[in-house]
Amino acid sequence: MHDVSTTPPVLAAELAHAWADIQRHHPELPDLAAPESLIGESSSACGAELSFERLLHEAVHGIAAARGVRDTSRAGRYHNRRFLAIAEELGLDHPEDPHPSSGFSLVTMSPETKRRYRPTAERLQRALKAHIAATASDTKRSFRGPAARHGSSGGGVRVKAVCECGRNVRVVPSVLAQAPIVCGACKTPFQIVDAVTVGASS
């Protein structure tokens, strides 16, 4: 059994530990001010799921900020060649050609980088699995949304929403309730995953 009330702080501590390991190899990387802000956060430009690889991606942005380098454009979606240069310093591989909308955001760990960070990445993965198991068991009882579970109005707490073609976004439920957010590819509204699942089974 996982305690939902304690899992997020534990995961936040593991994120801070993993970030510190990256700092050990790249001392100019600034501190991670709020590791808990990455929990439940998703960005199609920076990686949909939280992982050690995603953490390295965020570290590239951190070093770019420390150097005063503008590494993205188009409201942070397009990752340019300055992002790419720092990503290579951190041991991240990349496709040859940029993605039309997100540029060089789809970076992956090189074999050497995987070896360097293996113990830390495995430790973080265990914490992530515990967090996912805890939150999944909580949502099986009823769909109340993260905002209701944590007793807030929903400000800043995002949940996953999907469209018919399978693309996904993270959105504050109250924002989605104001008006539909329509996918540019399939022209259907994004819907919160857990709400769709519960609605289909009831």
Side-chain angles (χ1 to χ4, degrees):
M1 292 291 292
H2 300 285
D3 185 350
V4 176
S5 65
T6 59
T7 301
V10 169
L11 179 53
E14 289 301 329
L15 285 165
H17 170 82
W19 192 264
D21 194 20
I22 300 169
Q23 282 180 313
R24 191 165 58 86
H25 296 280
H26 304 278
E28 67 180 309
L29 177 63
D31 290 339
L32 184 60
E36 62 277 4
S37 67
L38 291 172
I39 301 173
E41 190 73 28
S42 176
S43 164
S44 59
C46 296
E49 300 298 331
L50 185 54
S51 64
F52 189 80
E53 196 165 75
R54 164 81 188 278
L55 209 58
L56 279 171
H57 181 123
E58 297 296 344
V60 174
H61 291 306
I63 289 176
R67 294 177 182 176
V69 171
R70 187 177 177 192
D71 63 342
T72 62
S73 58
R74 303 178 196 172
R77 291 188 303 275
Y78 192 87
H79 293 56
N80 59 35
R81 290 189 180 277
R82 290 183 287 276
F83 170 88
L84 182 58
I86 300 172
E88 288 174 346
E89 290 179 38
L90 269 69
L92 293 167
D93 289 337
H94 57 87
E96 267 189 48
D97 299 315
H99 186 275
S101 61
S102 60
F104 293 101
S105 69
L106 302 175
V107 288
T108 57
M109 288 192 287
S110 69
E112 182 184 344
T113 304
K114 286 180 181 178
R115 284 192 295 272
R116 177 189 302 156
Y117 292 113
R118 180 173 286 120
T120 302
E122 288 175 352
R123 179 173 162 171
L124 178 60
Q125 188 60 32
R126 285 193 296 272
L128 283 165
K129 282 183 179 177
H131 175 73
I132 291 166
T135 53
S137 64
D138 186 54
T139 55
K140 281 176 186 173
R141 288 194 293 272
S142 64
F143 179 74
R144 296 175 291 142
R149 286 200 300 277
H150 295 288
S152 73
S153 62
V157 180
R158 295 180 176 93
V159 295
K160 184 176 180 180
V162 298
C163 65
E164 284 188 4
C165 68
R167 299 175 73 211
N168 69 79
V169 295
R170 290 278 173 172
V171 62
V172 177
S174 60
V175 172
L176 193 60
Q178 293 170 14
I181 299 174
V182 179
C183 172
C186 67
K187 309 302 181 191
T188 62
F190 286 95
Q191 292 185 296
I192 295 172
V193 175
D194 293 351
V196 172
T197 304
V198 171
S201 61
S202 58

